[in-house]
Amino acid sequence: MSEFVEQLRALIGAGDVRVSEHGYDGLAEDGLTAREVIHGVLDAVLVDPRSPGCGAG
């Protein structure tokens, strides 16, 4: 797992993530809530498009 994702998950776990008003507006435009996105990060699987067999390219 990437270091970035691990750091992001640690921040979420500690409750140290804030969503700006602009961020909330963008999520609302896409029909998403901040809660959905944050929980999605916790459950996400990181895929490297350069890895063999991922279907990219």
Side-chain angles (χ1 to χ4, degrees):
M1 180 90 30
S2 81
E3 185 177 330
F4 171 77
V5 173
E6 289 301 322
Q7 289 176 345
L8 184 55
R9 287 180 174 169
L11 290 169
I12 290 169
D16 289 337
V17 175
R18 294 184 187 149
V19 180
S20 68
E21 184 176 337
H22 175 78
Y24 277 113
D25 291 345
L27 291 173
E29 288 174 9
D30 292 332
L32 298 168
T33 66
R35 179 169 284 152
E36 290 171 320
V37 173
I38 289 170
H39 286 294
V41 170
L42 296 175
D43 296 331
V45 175
L46 189 63
V47 177
D48 184 346
R50 299 166 292 182
S51 66
C54 78

